[in-house]
Amino acid sequence: MAIEHHDFDVLVLGSGGSGLRAAVAAAEAGAKTGLVCKSLLGKAHTVMAEGGLAASLGNVDPRDNWETHFQDTMFGGKYLNNWRMAELHAKEAPDRARELEHWGAVFDRTPDRKMSQRAFGGHTYKRLVHIGDRTGLEMIRTMQDKAVHSDIDIFMETTITRLIKDGDRVVGCFGYRRASGEQISFSSKALVVATGGSGRIYKITSNSQDCTGDGYALAYEAGAELVDMEFIQFHPTGMVYPPGVAGLLVTEAVRGEGGILRNALGERFMEKYDPKRMELSTRDVVARSIYTEVKEGRGTPHGGAYLDVSHLDSDYVRRKLPSMYDQFLELAGVDITKEPMQVGPTCHYFMGGIKVDPDTGETRVPGLYATGEASGGMNGANRLGGNSLGDLLVFGRRAGIGAAADANKLSAVALPAEELTAAQGEVDTYLNGSGTENPFQMHKDLQKIMGDGAGIFRDKEGLTEAISLLESLESRVDKLKSPSPRLEYNPGWQLCREVKNMLTVSLMIARGALMREESRGGHSRLDFTAYSDYWAENNIVVHSKGGYDMQLTPTPVFKRDELSELVEARKESEKAS
Amino acid sequence: MSETMAAGGTRTLQIWRGDLTSGQLVDYTLETEPGMVVLDAVLEIQRSQAPDLAVRWNCKAAKCGSCSAEVNGKPRLMCKTRLDHLPADEPITVEPMRAFPIIQDLVTDVSWNYEVNKKIIPFTPREDLPEGDYLIDQADTDRMSEFRKCIECFMCQDVCHILRDQRMHNKYYGPRFMVRLASLDMHPLDGIDRIDQIADEAGIGLCNITKCCTEVCPEGIHITDNAIIPLKERVVDARHDPILKIFKRNNTRPGKKKPEASA
Ligand SMILES: Cc1cc2nc3c(=O)[nH]c(=O)nc-3n(C[C@H](O)[C@H](O)[C@H](O)COP(=O)(O)OP(=O)(O)OC[C@H]3O[C@@H](n4cnc5c(N)ncnc54)[C@H](O)[C@@H]3O)c2cc1C
Ligand code: SF4
Ligand code: SF4
Ligand code: FES
């Protein structure tokens, strides 16, 4: 049966900040460009970002420069970052921020009418360009309008279920339109994966429904390498109550504005864990502290910690934290100017991702590029707040340019018929096959395994158990079947492939976490609580040996001689303080 | 307010099931947990009773504008509407937005909005801008920011009688895009004169200021007072002000250019 087909030079998967920026760059470079996303345009996960975008413009604090931003990023990432990526990000973020403004984005101002910048955890100077607490929306809307007027073909609510290769090269992909269930294929000389993270493998997450790790799994299946998958950022403050909204983010700005954390006994417990920085300690430390207080029986009635701003002037709170005020009043029935919030850790961000060339976003698979949260390396073991939005712009642009340059060298590509047939067979099986496994149930099972064994604290026993439970899901995944055979907007059908993707991602995480016998950034082992000298120098790189069989290889951190001085200087000043 | 009002208990939802050709309300009864929002209930029904129930959602944080539906007859974000804020003694009805064609169950085809948006020329800097950083007042930023808070839930489009009842989708852009045009028109560095589009193609004259749109906006944007009425006044000034007509042949504001015909 003939299906809808489109030909592009460059095809981008994902319309978050990174995908939009990549598509705009590819189109500007003269490539015939397409953009595919699971949700409607303008609804991607990026739209939720609140705090801001880190760029060393020096508008508020003129002492700021790219070198300090680079050092902060390396320190935050516990020196496991790809040095070149951290360098490019720090150097180019200011230009990307200005460019957004030239495309019509509107940010808060300084008294001398320039873009204002706010303080955030781990940044030496006031560095985050922002607009209130909705910076992600501003970014998405600006680039959405730019993309719409850049001669880019956009395919909304279209789910890609497979990348298609011709020999060694990725030459396109296959999927279906969610509204009609109609199949669709794309050929592309170069394809950019910008599909974001995979927070939905945990029950408690700040991530949107789209975040099911599709890009990680599709790239893995196509032969790409992934890096640092064991590092997951649990944001310390998510809502814990009511159950329906558990995980919803409570922005770091609450603590930035003077919010105080207490346990059920009324103790300001951060005094025990980080007396110097208290509530504004790094995210990994605060998250672990709250977790420990709850685990040791000092949690609030709903199993979290109290976060209190009621000592601040109530007008000030309403002005500075408007969406938090609304969120708690509306959803929890709590007036935060009078009562404390209850908060606990929530899965927030994936430091790891597809391993790419820092300058071009190219993976080790010809024709395959990656960017944004879907790619790894820039953030090392822990991401600083504000460094994702900058990352999306800097590396989204670079991947778009890289992909277009590649595509412009190539004559037309075609999808091998047997590959296409196999991809069609897979989605048909989820709909009409003889399988008996319910995707909703399996998603729940997977979330429980990951929460129990590979959550915020890990140990050998728990991880080994999680891995064996995940392995027992491998055979069940092949029997997944949508409870309904309807083609149009069928949620169970959609979830089948997503669950398969999440299983692949979960295995990478658990296996990487078992291998890394130390605690560092977003990876905490109860049985190896200290830094290890060996692991300080190595990332874990994973690729497929076929199916769910994975090769994990410790690989030395990517360094650059010309940056050594900056890195050493930072390490020295840390020791001194 | 305290958590004591966070009642759970058994509730009945009447959810509209069907497609473009036909459909009806179907009853679902479920045990609710305290503090549940309508979207939680719909997703729980999807998980346990009606696995093919179609519903559009993404952020579940009232930030993406995907989950708009008519709850008890009023457009709302399902992820922001608590069950226990709705009358306890009657079923809760959940229906798709009526101003747009239905795809399946609660999911509507909102693509018309994207077509309208394409017709609006994006921000285009004035030609007389000096080199260097853009300089903008915080006051201008605040004014534009109210409009730029829009999450494109399209609920204002859903209630506007010009679209919902009169079906004049080809004559009126709707309140969402009045808000968008207002944000561009008020950008101090934008170089496009948008008056012709606002008056003619966008059809601002059709709006008779009923304010229904403003009432449903989940972002609290004063659509009518702050966007539509000032734009209407600008149209009047530019087109009908006799004094301006005498002194200026071309009523374009300084720094603003009429768009090229092709745009
Ligand atoms: C509440 C919250 C607040 C945050 N605040 C900040 C902040 O202040 N500063 C900061 O720097 N970072 C922040 N972050 C992190 C940041 O928002 C994300 O890391 C970033 O937005 C990821 O962008 P992305 O472009 O990589 O992908 P996403 O925005 O996740 O977009 C992924 C896209 O891929 C598409 N997609 C996925 N799978 C498929 C498929 N199979 N087929 C087709 N399309 C697919 C999706 O539909 C979507 O369009 C925040 C995150 C959250 C949750
Ligand atoms: S005020 Fe105007 S735009 Fe708003 S609903 Fe009424 S007619 Fe429609
Ligand atoms: S203006 Fe308000 S109601 Fe209309 S689309 Fe935007 S957020 Fe929704
Ligand atoms: S799901 Fe995003 S607004 Fe409700």
Side-chain angles (χ1 to χ4, degrees):
Chain A
M1 191 184 67
I3 61 170
E4 182 180 355
H5 178 83
H6 301 269
D7 263 316
F8 291 105
D9 294 334
V10 173
L11 185 72
V12 179
L13 307 190
S15 65
S18 64
L20 286 169
R21 189 64 191 82
V24 168
E28 268 176 2
K32 180 169 185 259
T33 304
L35 179 73
V36 187
C37 50
K38 284 204 282 194
S39 43
L40 292 171
L41 193 60
K43 313 288 183 201
H45 177 73
T46 302
V47 87
M48 283 200 269
E50 295 166 347
L53 131 72
S56 62
L57 292 161
N59 286 356
V60 172
D61 195 325
R63 287 172 298 178
D64 204 6
N65 50 40
W66 79 261
E67 288 91 343
T68 314
H69 191 181
F70 168 77
Q71 289 174 315
D72 289 346
T73 302
M74 293 298 299
F75 172 65
K78 316 293 176 210
Y79 303 104
L80 277 190
N81 322 53
N82 178 309
W83 291 22
R84 174 69 174 159
M85 289 179 93
E87 175 197 8
L88 286 172
H89 174 254
K91 280 184 173 163
E92 294 179 5
D95 278 345
R96 297 287 77 78
R98 283 188 206 103
E99 174 181 79
L100 267 192
E101 191 169 55
H102 290 200
W103 294 349
V106 174
F107 297 113
D108 279 330
R109 315 310 293 178
T110 61
D112 58 356
R113 306 164 75 210
K114 293 183 184 166
M115 281 184 266
S116 182
Q117 298 181 269
R118 67 161 48 123
F120 234 59
H123 292 283
T124 303
Y125 302 113
K126 293 192 171 181
R127 189 177 283 149
L128 267 66
V129 174
H130 62 277
I131 175 87
D133 49 11
R134 53 160 198 87
T135 313
L137 171 64
E138 189 64 28
M139 214 168 120
I140 284 286
R141 204 64 84 228
T142 303
M143 285 200 285
Q144 174 183 347
D145 286 320
K146 180 79 183 165
V148 161
H149 293 93
S150 295
D151 205 14
I152 295 166
D153 284 341
I154 298 168
F155 300 82
M156 302 197 289
E157 295 199 315
T158 300
T159 302
I160 296 304
T161 57
R162 210 182 267 218
L163 304 184
I164 294 184
K165 285 172 84 173
D166 186 2
D168 285 343
R169 191 176 181 90
V170 167
V171 291
C173 61
F174 168 86
Y176 57 87
R177 289 183 180 271
R178 295 178 71 177
S180 62
E182 283 161 341
Q183 298 179 353
I184 185 168
S185 61
F186 299 91
S187 53
S188 57
K189 296 176 191 167
L191 185 143
V192 183
V193 173
T195 47
S198 191
R200 290 266 149 198
I201 61 172
Y202 294 97
K203 181 160 184 274
I204 305 295
T205 178
S206 65
N207 282 199
S208 70
Q209 191 203 13
D210 276 354
C211 300
T212 52
D214 298 3
Y216 300 141
L218 298 183
Y220 167 85
E221 289 169 12
E225 291 175 324
L226 290 96
V227 63
D228 292 337
M229 292 303 285
E230 67 276 24
F231 293 112
I232 293 171
Q233 182 165 80
F234 288 85
H235 197 289
T237 60
M239 288 177 82
V240 291
Y241 181 86
V245 298
L248 197 64
L249 196 75
V250 178
T251 169
E252 186 166 325
V254 173
R255 282 170 290 136
E257 297 294 346
I260 289 172
L261 285 166
R262 289 201 184 82
N263 62 22
L265 309 174
E267 295 161 342
R268 196 168 171 189
F269 56 84
M270 285 309 296
E271 279 165 3
K272 271 187 303 197
Y273 302 97
D274 187 350
K276 212 170 91 194
R277 290 175 296 179
M278 298 293 282
E279 279 83 3
L280 286 176
S281 183
T282 48
R283 286 181 179 175
D284 50 335
V285 174
V286 182
R288 282 195 296 268
S289 307
I290 295 176
Y291 185 90
T292 306
E293 289 299 305
V294 176
K295 191 112 192 184
E296 293 178 358
R298 295 182 296 277
T300 64
H302 293 300
Y306 290 116
L307 174 60
D308 197 359
V309 290
S310 64
H311 56 288
L312 303 174
D313 177 68
S314 68
D315 285 339
Y316 181 81
V317 169
R318 273 196 293 263
R319 200 172 65 245
K320 281 295 193 179
L321 304 165
S323 65
M324 285 303 116
Y325 177 78
D326 284 350
Q327 183 173 314
F328 273 89
L329 197 60
E330 194 100 25
L331 296 173
V334 168
D335 178 348
I336 65 169
T337 66
K338 299 198 181 79
E339 300 168 73
M341 300 162 248
Q342 296 185 45
V343 297
T346 179
C347 171
H348 188 55
Y349 183 84
F350 280 61
M351 269 69 77
I354 302 163
K355 191 166 179 286
V356 292
D357 174 75
D359 289 74
T360 62
E362 191 174 12
T363 69
R364 75 166 186 175
V365 182
L368 182 63
Y369 293 73
T371 183
E373 199 172 333
S375 64
M378 150 78 193
N379 294 294
N382 178 50
R383 174 182 71 96
L384 296 183
N387 267 6
S388 173
L389 294 187
D391 170 345
L392 307 183
L393 297 173
V394 168
F395 297 105
R397 172 177 161 277
R398 284 185 162 273
I401 293 172
D406 194 354
N408 290 343
K409 290 194 298 240
L410 236 66
S411 53
V413 292
L415 305 179
E418 63 284 4
E419 296 289 323
L420 193 58
T421 311
Q424 289 180 290
E426 183 190 353
V427 296
D428 277 341
T429 306
Y430 293 137
L431 205 60
N432 302 312
S434 56
T436 48
E437 291 286 349
N438 178 306
F440 295 101
Q441 185 56 45
M442 204 182 297
H443 187 200
K444 223 171 166 173
D445 296 347
L446 182 119
Q447 288 181 327
K448 178 153 172 33
I449 297 170
M450 290 306 283
D452 290 350
I456 187 165
F457 278 112
R458 299 141 181 202
D459 62 15
K460 184 172 180 189
E461 203 188 333
L463 287 166
T464 313
E465 164 93 1
I467 292 168
S468 90
L469 288 170
L470 290 169
E471 285 169 350
S472 72
L473 291 186
E474 289 172 11
S475 57
R476 287 174 55 196
V477 155
D478 293 332
K479 302 197 192 86
L480 277 170
K481 185 177 175 197
S482 163
S484 150
R486 193 188 64 216
L487 281 164
E488 296 84 8
Y489 224 97
N490 182 341
W493 188 28
Q494 172 85 4
L495 193 55
C496 288
R497 193 19 144 131
E498 290 175 342
V499 167
K500 183 174 159 124
N501 296 335
M502 287 189 274
L503 176 61
T504 303
V505 174
S506 298
L507 279 164
M508 289 180 201
I509 293 167
R511 288 171 177 161
L514 182 64
M515 183 180 238
R516 182 170 286 277
E517 294 187 331
E518 66 159 355
S519 290
R520 180 181 298 274
H523 170 67
S524 304
R525 287 280 298 254
L526 292 165
D527 45 354
F528 295 94
T529 52
Y531 286 162
S532 121
D533 289 341
Y534 172 73
W535 287 113
E537 297 291 331
N538 286 283
N539 302 103
I540 296 176
V541 173
V542 50
H543 70 257
S544 174
K545 289 199 290 181
Y548 300 98
D549 203 5
M550 296 170 186
Q551 177 70 47
L552 274 70
T553 315
T555 307
V557 172
F558 185 96
K559 298 182 176 179
R560 271 166 74 83
D561 290 344
E562 54 270 54
L563 298 167
S564 290
E565 222 171 289
L566 284 174
V567 172
E568 290 311 317
R570 186 55 183 263
K571 284 185 177 165
E572 283 308 310
S573 74
E574 242 174 84
K575 269 191 220 134
S577 72
Chain B
M1 280 233 208
S2 76
E3 288 164 14
T4 47
M5 48 178 298
T10 311
R11 301 287 304 251
T12 299
L13 271 74
Q14 300 183 323
I15 302 179
W16 196 90
R17 303 294 311 269
D19 53 27
L20 201 52
T21 52
S22 68
Q24 70 280 323
L25 288 173
V26 177
D27 281 17
Y28 299 95
T29 301
L30 80 163
E31 277 309 308
T32 64
E33 288 179 62
M36 255 189 174
V37 292
V38 173
L39 183 61
D40 291 322
V42 170
L43 293 178
E44 185 49 41
I45 290 165
Q46 188 187 67
R47 243 187 312 266
S48 55
Q49 304 182 39
D52 57 352
L53 170 56
V55 54
R56 185 185 273 136
W57 66 284
N58 206 9
C59 70
K60 208 171 166 294
K63 292 211 164 93
C64 75
S66 296
C67 66
S68 316
E70 298 186 6
V71 178
N72 286 352
K74 195 179 164 226
R76 288 171 178 275
L77 295 178
M78 284 187 274
C79 71
K80 207 184 172 186
T81 307
R82 278 176 57 151
L83 296 175
D84 45 28
H85 291 180
L86 302 167
D89 45 356
E90 47 194 70
I92 298 162
T93 61
V94 187
E95 297 171 83
M97 288 194 286
R98 292 298 178 189
F100 307 111
I102 286 165
I103 293 176
Q104 183 74 46
D105 304 335
L106 300 176
V107 179
T108 55
D109 178 359
V110 293
S111 55
W112 171 76
N113 293 286
Y114 289 90
E115 295 306 317
V116 173
N117 191 39
K118 268 191 215 158
K119 297 184 199 158
I120 299 176
I121 303 171
F123 170 78
T124 310
R126 298 162 56 141
E127 282 167 3
D128 56 354
L129 286 185
E131 291 279 304
D133 286 337
Y134 279 11
L135 299 178
I136 301 175
D137 284 335
Q138 182 67 38
D140 284 324
T141 300
D142 291 343
R143 192 152 13 115
M144 290 185 278
S145 186
E146 179 187 3
F147 305 138
R148 299 185 64 89
K149 277 194 308 198
C150 169
I151 58 173
E152 297 206 321
C153 66
F154 305 128
M155 298 199 299
C156 55
Q157 309 285 75
D158 183 42
V159 289
C160 176
H161 65 99
I162 305 168
L163 304 174
R164 187 187 180 96
D165 302 326
Q166 284 145 266
R167 297 304 225 203
M168 291 164 77
H169 292 79
N170 56 346
K171 295 227 162 56
Y172 186 48
Y173 283 8
R176 155 57 188 138
F177 296 103
M178 293 301 143
V179 165
R180 168 133 184 82
L181 283 163
S183 82
L184 290 163
D185 189 64
M186 289 178 195
H187 196 304
L189 308 185
D190 182 56
I192 303 280
D193 182 338
R194 299 171 189 274
I195 286 298
D196 289 344
Q197 183 177 33
I198 294 166
D200 303 331
E201 216 201 314
I204 196 169
L206 287 169
C207 165
N208 55 348
I209 322 191
T210 59
K211 300 201 184 186
C212 310
C213 51
T214 305
E215 272 167 35
V216 300
C217 178
E219 288 295 312
I221 302 171
H222 297 93
I223 304 174
T224 336
D225 288 351
N226 292 353
I228 296 181
I229 294 177
L231 286 184
K232 277 178 176 279
E233 285 167 357
R234 293 253 305 106
V235 170
V236 172
D237 284 351
R239 291 236 165 138
H240 307 296
D241 189 321
I243 304 194
L244 274 176
K245 277 210 170 134
I246 295 165
F247 289 105
K248 278 194 208 156
R249 244 180 303 155
N250 177 357
N251 286 355
T252 297
R253 286 186 298 176
K256 303 245 180 201
K257 251 184 22 173
K258 295 256 183 205
E260 279 146 38
S262 67

